[in-house]
Amino acid sequence: MNQNKDLNYPLVSDNDSFMELIDVEKVYPNGVQAVYNFNLEIKQNDFVALVGPSGCGKSTTLRMIAGLEEVSAGALYIKRKFSNFTPSKDRNIAMVFQSYALYPQLTVFDNIAFGLRILKVPKKEIEDRVFAAASILDLGKYLDRRPKELSGGQMQRVALGRAIVRKADIFLMDEPLSNLDAKLRLQMRAEIVRIHKEAHATTVYVTHDQTEAMTMANKIVVMNKGFIQQIDAPMTIYNHPSNLFVANFIGAPAMNIIDATYFNGQLKFSDQSIVQLSSDVNAQIRAFFVREIAELKQVLQNEKNTSTFFKQLDSRLIKENDTKIDIVPQKEDFIHRLINRFKRVKPSNTDTNQSGAKDRLEELLTAYQSALKSPYALKFGIRPEDIKLVAKDESPAFALKTKTTFVEPLGSEYIVHTEWNNSDLIVKLDVTSVVDNDQEVVLKLNLDKIHLFDPNNGKAIC
């Protein structure tokens, strides 16, 4: 097999994925790293959403796919071809920008046809492609108009039309709906999904709006601070978040997270209320600690890996706001596992020769070993829709008395804010459950829908 000698990646991938990113990283000339160890497989006709807060690296990743940013490390394959150094114009990619990027002096027809004329496509074929795209986008009667005569939604459809006529292998969309009002965003979400299906496209869509990601994509990549947090189908991410960040980011309103202590099969809260956990949940908690103990021991007891890892790790600690230290991941598999489980340490000082990371991991191992026989602090999570009012004739296994602090009537439902254990507990109720501000209520929690997280690394336990 031919090899790329500089990066030691094959020129043709053995993987049959439509597009693949392997250990991709982006480091700018000033030393700032925007993307770490990005791994993703995209199948043909997938609609993949990269979602996360501003500055998480999602647009940078999209620009590397498009060829607008260089790949600092790792490999990008498009249709199995190594594409790190392939010019953007040769990647057969169509990109839709947030700002539409239409030519104000050109008509809708000419804006859509512009790229085809650059490619010297025959005139008759240009006309056929533009009219076909206009039919899909319902732009037929606007082809003679200029952008200033169009609404925001119509301009966005023109930008989509310009992508469609290219017959590109991949559509890349960078927050294309962020400039539209709420009603139009809702309409355009459905339009883009319809166009994606009709054009038999493969789409990578960047957004900070988790609702867009959930409703449009068949695969979601959740990112934070340059790292992938989770890759999965929308409902899997919603129902089974891999860590605290994903649990808080995905869902509107976000998941309720409450401090609790686990001991002897029970969760105890600061108000002294107790939740008795099922045997299944207890088994998952035990399995989590056993697994984490085994993996930590593997890293800490392997002398070769330990010396290599901590030498590299402590030399690459990045000082952030004088209080937090980011760990930059290396290529070794054992380091990947460790980084994914525990990305932050707080050494006693910022001397790069000290072994703060190793000391912290040894402390974590000790904590895990004692967790099965003594109280252990956890984060308890439950989504707002999994909390309901207790009816007069009900006697649930666990109920709590509280008082509403703020009620948001949304027509089809209520978003109710209450307090529990010094935290804001948010409840989502249907309109048949009438509540008001400053009203005392009794709530029941669906204990089959609870989530537990380890506060040391944010990782989901169950």
Side-chain angles (χ1 to χ4, degrees):
M1 181 181 291
N2 293 328
Q3 297 283 325
N4 176 283
K5 295 181 179 179
D6 292 334
L7 295 177
N8 199 31
Y9 288 101
L11 294 177
V12 179
S13 173
D14 292 330
N15 194 318
D16 63 355
S17 295
F18 192 72
M19 181 163 60
E20 185 179 13
L21 293 90
I22 303 174
D23 295 336
V24 167
E25 298 190 351
K26 178 61 184 179
V27 183
Y28 288 102
N30 63 1
V32 173
Q33 186 156 358
V35 178
Y36 300 84
N37 186 36
F38 191 100
N39 289 272
L40 176 65
E41 291 185 22
I42 299 175
K43 302 296 185 183
Q44 191 165 11
N45 303 133
D46 269 351
F47 194 120
V48 178
L50 308 184
V51 64
S54 297
C56 72
K58 55 189 185 296
S59 290
T60 301
T61 302
L62 194 79
R63 291 173 65 83
M64 285 192 286
I65 295 172
L68 303 177
E69 294 279 3
E70 291 183 355
V71 176
S72 302
L76 166 67
Y77 290 94
I78 299 175
K79 298 177 73 173
R80 299 182 59 208
K81 177 185 175 183
F82 182 82
S83 302
N84 284 37
F85 308 115
T86 303
S88 182
K89 65 182 178 62
D90 296 329
R91 298 189 184 194
N92 198 21
I93 284 172
M95 194 157 184
V96 180
F97 297 93
Q98 176 181 347
S99 61
Y100 314 141
L102 302 181
Y103 296 100
Q105 75 277 17
L106 300 182
T107 63
V108 168
F109 182 98
D110 291 333
N111 266 285
I112 295 175
F114 185 84
L116 299 179
R117 287 173 176 154
I118 294 295
L119 296 173
K120 301 187 183 304
V121 174
K123 182 177 180 181
K124 179 64 168 63
E125 185 176 348
I126 290 176
E127 291 179 352
D128 290 343
R129 289 198 199 180
V130 171
F131 288 136
S135 176
I136 292 173
L137 295 163
D138 194 24
L139 287 173
K141 58 186 176 184
Y142 304 110
L143 289 176
D144 292 330
R145 297 189 185 183
R146 286 176 170 74
K148 67 179 180 180
E149 302 173 89
L150 304 176
S151 68
Q154 290 165 344
M155 285 192 286
Q156 190 58 271
R157 290 206 294 272
V158 175
L160 288 169
R162 189 168 49 194
I164 290 172
V165 296
R166 286 280 311 278
K167 294 185 177 179
D169 290 329
I170 302 167
F171 288 176
L172 303 180
M173 302 189 185
D174 192 1
E175 304 208 38
L177 307 184
S178 59
N179 289 334
L180 305 180
D181 61 61
K183 182 179 180 180
L184 196 50
R185 279 203 305 273
L186 184 63
Q187 294 173 348
M188 287 304 301
R189 286 205 299 261
E191 284 286 306
I192 289 175
V193 172
R194 178 179 64 82
I195 292 163
H196 164 83
K197 291 178 179 178
E198 290 188 8
H200 304 289
T202 301
T203 301
V204 182
Y205 187 99
V206 162
T207 179
H208 64 274
D209 186 336
Q210 52 95 15
T211 302
E212 282 185 17
M214 289 288 294
T215 56
M216 298 174 71
N218 68 292
K219 181 186 291 184
I220 294 178
V221 181
V222 184
M223 298 183 67
N224 187 37
K225 297 183 178 179
F227 291 92
I228 291 177
Q229 301 296 311
Q230 187 170 355
I231 303 174
D232 231 316
M235 291 311 298
T236 301
I237 285 180
Y238 187 82
N239 291 320
H240 304 286
S242 64
N243 57 41
L244 274 169
F245 174 82
V246 177
N248 275 302
F249 191 83
I250 299 295
M255 182 183 292
N256 295 293
I257 304 294
I258 309 292
D259 290 331
T261 301
Y262 172 76
F263 182 58
N264 198 26
Q266 296 179 331
L267 288 178
K268 187 175 182 179
F269 299 91
S270 61
D271 67 351
Q272 304 307 308
S273 58
I274 293 176
V275 169
Q276 184 69 47
L277 298 175
S278 68
S279 58
D280 180 57
V281 171
N282 278 300
Q284 291 182 64
I285 294 172
R286 181 175 182 83
F288 171 83
F289 287 121
V290 169
R291 183 172 62 251
E292 295 297 301
I293 288 168
E295 290 188 4
L296 278 171
K297 281 183 175 180
Q298 180 184 358
V299 172
L300 291 167
Q301 291 176 359
N302 186 320
E303 290 300 326
K304 180 180 178 181
N305 283 354
T306 300
S307 60
T308 302
F309 170 67
F310 289 110
K311 182 179 179 181
Q312 295 176 343
L313 178 63
D314 289 329
S315 67
R316 294 189 66 183
L317 293 176
I318 299 176
K319 193 173 182 182
E320 182 185 286
N321 299 329
D322 296 326
T323 58
K324 293 182 179 178
I325 304 295
D326 273 352
I327 298 174
V328 178
Q330 310 295 313
K331 298 294 183 206
E332 293 87 341
D333 288 341
F334 79 96
I335 293 177
H336 284 177
R337 292 197 301 272
L338 186 58
I339 293 300
N340 288 335
R341 189 166 63 253
F342 190 54
K343 294 189 177 71
R344 291 194 180 278
V345 295
K346 288 187 178 180
S348 56
N349 57 66
T350 55
D351 180 4
T352 58
N353 294 319
Q354 55 78 47
S355 58
K358 182 176 180 181
D359 291 344
R360 183 65 187 89
L361 291 170
E362 288 175 340
E363 291 174 9
L364 189 59
L365 176 60
T366 301
Y368 285 157
Q369 288 171 328
S370 65
L372 297 175
K373 54 188 177 182
S374 60
Y376 187 83
L378 295 178
K379 295 288 187 181
F380 170 87
I382 188 162
R383 292 210 177 271
E385 62 268 27
D386 295 323
I387 307 172
K388 302 297 181 186
L389 293 178
V390 175
K392 291 182 180 180
D393 57 346
E394 280 188 298
S395 299
F398 178 78
L400 62 98
K401 293 182 179 180
T402 185
K403 191 176 185 179
T404 63
T405 57
F406 180 56
V407 177
E408 301 177 63
L410 300 179
S412 60
E413 62 189 9
Y414 290 99
I415 304 299
V416 181
H417 296 253
T418 69
E419 286 187 4
W420 183 41
N421 288 287
N422 302 313
S423 298
D424 184 24
L425 184 72
I426 300 177
V427 184
K428 185 184 287 187
L429 302 175
D430 60 40
V431 291
T432 61
S433 306
V434 180
V435 289
D436 206 347
N437 292 317
D438 300 318
Q439 178 182 333
E440 291 188 355
V441 293
V442 181
L443 301 172
K444 60 179 179 180
L445 280 59
N446 185 346
L447 299 183
D448 293 330
K449 297 283 190 175
I450 66 171
H451 301 261
L452 298 176
F453 303 90
D454 178 14
N456 283 291
N457 54 24
K459 190 173 181 180
I461 297 173
C462 67

